[in-house]
Amino acid sequence: MEELIDDWMTRIAEAASAGRSLSIRGGGSKLFYGCPEQGEKEGMLEVGGYRGIVAYEPTELVVTARTGTPLRELAATLAEKGQWLPFEPPFFGPAATVGGMFAAGLSGPRRQAVGALRDYVLGAKLLNGSGEVLSFGGQVMKNVAGYDVSRLLAGSLGTLGLVLEVSLKVLPLPVAEKSLRFAIDEGAALRKLNEWGGRPLPISASAWQDGVLTLRLSGAAAALAAAQRHLGGEELADGLAAEFWQSLREQTHAFFAGDAPLWRLSLPSVAPPQALPGPTLIEWGGAQRWLRAGDGGAIRAAAARAGGHATLFRADDAVKTEQGVFQPLSPPLLRIHRNLKHAFDPQGVFNRGRMYPGL
């Protein structure tokens, strides 16, 4: 493994001296996400060979893995001990790696109940644009004072450096689960979700689409039975329920099919229906809303009025270039992004332009 790092250091130095960039590639499952890269490229850093679980302490609920480790391998290792990554990271294909999961920073349907990927990051080891190996955080929830750089790296799409290892908090698998369905319109569904969200109900996921609201309950069997008596609804068979939630996590659900741009709106859960053109799917108790449409200006304006923002999640490169992928930054935030990029990657070697043009 050290030979790989030495080779990467050499290639980083060559790219920096030539003023070119390097693309970081693991399994390639998340390449669709983010902006098209910019500038003249030196080539790719293929990191899939840097793999393996470095440390796993089931009793401490902590695992450390190299970022080329296949995500399914990590999931299988945790499952053997009755544990998992509770934020349900999407794989988007069998080649998904720990590094791609970490770089994209995406979370699945359970995000509303347990938090996001970055909430489970304990530490990270990074190869920066100056060819230095840096370590941040550790293997406990509170280990240092100062900036929590390891969580900053989560979701940075490889623009700050090549992450070598990640330490994550894991949790036991749910004891029991059941899913319920309700026929209800969008406005009423949002009101109900916010009402239920203020009560001690074991709701671990929610999804509304085309007049149907689906809830997932997780916890002790007695708690689920009591919640079902309170909520009502039609219970889904276990197999159908598991297939449904996986189809949302992996975006294989029929809603995600087709070529229309896919927008993700991050809004306050209490925001009313946005009445934007195109099919809508709502998750996370109303806080995440997917939209199949094309008018980015109108979508971003509506999201801003509601107190949120919009991301162009899937589209071809021409649409991404025209409309931008992520919410435009205010001048102060853009300055912070530029300063961070310069601090970690002064020559702009890694994944140049993947988040914002010029960064």
Side-chain angles (χ1 to χ4, degrees):
M1 294 299 176
E2 293 302 320
E3 293 82 0
L4 277 175
I5 295 177
D6 290 341
D7 177 62
W8 293 336
M9 287 179 173
T10 300
R11 296 194 60 199
I12 289 167
E14 291 172 350
S17 63
R20 296 176 179 172
S21 65
L22 288 164
S23 299
I24 301 171
R25 175 75 63 87
S29 62
K30 313 293 190 302
L31 286 177
F32 70 88
Y33 183 55
C35 303
E37 291 184 42
Q38 300 173 326
E40 190 174 356
K41 292 182 178 60
E42 188 78 12
M44 287 193 179
L45 290 179
E46 299 281 356
V47 300
Y50 194 73
R51 59 196 294 175
I53 295 174
V54 177
Y56 177 32
E57 297 292 341
T59 57
E60 299 296 329
L61 301 176
V62 174
V63 65
T64 300
R66 296 187 180 101
T67 47
T69 306
L71 196 49
R72 59 182 176 180
E73 180 181 309
L74 175 60
T77 299
L78 296 176
E80 289 176 1
K81 299 296 185 180
Q83 297 176 351
W84 70 331
L85 299 172
F87 50 89
E88 292 185 308
F91 285 48
F92 296 140
T97 63
V98 171
M101 171 196 75
F102 183 73
L106 301 174
S107 304
R110 203 174 298 265
R111 160 67 173 94
Q112 74 176 84
V114 302
L117 177 150
R118 70 178 64 247
D119 300 315
Y120 291 82
V121 175
L122 302 177
K125 185 179 289 186
L126 175 78
L127 179 59
N128 71 6
S130 299
E132 302 167 317
V133 176
L134 308 175
S135 294
F136 304 100
Q139 294 187 332
V140 295
M141 288 303 290
K142 292 185 178 179
N143 48 65
V144 294
Y147 296 109
D148 196 345
V149 176
S150 54
R151 293 189 184 188
L152 170 72
L153 297 172
S156 62
L157 291 178
T159 58
L160 300 179
L162 172 56
V163 178
L164 301 174
E165 294 179 9
V166 180
S167 294
L168 299 163
K169 179 180 175 63
V170 301
L171 289 180
L173 286 159
V175 175
E177 292 191 323
K178 64 173 57 183
S179 294
L180 309 174
R181 276 196 170 155
F182 308 80
I184 190 171
D185 65 43
E186 182 179 358
L190 289 169
R191 289 191 295 273
K192 281 292 186 184
L193 287 170
N194 280 281
E195 175 190 336
W196 293 333
R199 297 180 180 178
L201 294 167
I203 298 173
S204 63
S206 61
W208 179 91
Q209 197 253 332
D210 198 20
V212 176
L213 173 64
T214 307
L215 293 184
R216 182 174 61 194
L217 309 177
S218 302
L224 302 193
Q228 184 176 12
R229 288 193 297 270
H230 174 77
L231 294 167
E234 176 188 354
E235 185 173 350
L236 267 66
D238 289 345
L240 289 176
E243 181 181 343
F244 173 76
W245 295 112
Q246 180 169 324
S247 75
L248 289 187
R249 188 192 76 190
E250 298 302 318
Q251 295 192 347
T252 56
H253 188 279
F255 172 84
F256 297 100
D259 297 326
L262 176 65
W263 289 85
R264 182 181 66 187
L265 280 67
S266 298
L267 304 178
S269 63
V270 295
Q274 296 302 293
L276 291 164
T280 298
L281 189 150
I282 299 173
E283 292 189 90
W284 299 359
Q288 176 166 267
R289 308 187 192 186
W290 299 99
L291 180 67
R292 300 307 301 250
D295 186 355
I299 292 169
R300 286 204 162 107
R305 286 194 299 271
H309 63 271
T311 299
L312 182 53
F313 197 79
R314 289 184 187 264
D316 61 40
D317 285 354
V319 176
K320 289 181 178 181
T321 301
E322 176 189 354
Q323 304 198 18
V325 170
F326 300 104
Q327 189 80 8
L329 297 174
S330 65
L333 283 177
L334 181 59
R335 185 163 58 251
I336 291 172
H337 273 250
R338 289 190 187 281
N339 290 342
L340 283 169
K341 176 69 171 175
H342 182 75
F344 285 96
D345 184 17
Q347 302 302 318
V349 171
F350 297 112
N351 288 7
R352 191 182 300 169
R354 224 18 229 292
M355 291 195 73
Y356 290 98
L359 297 180

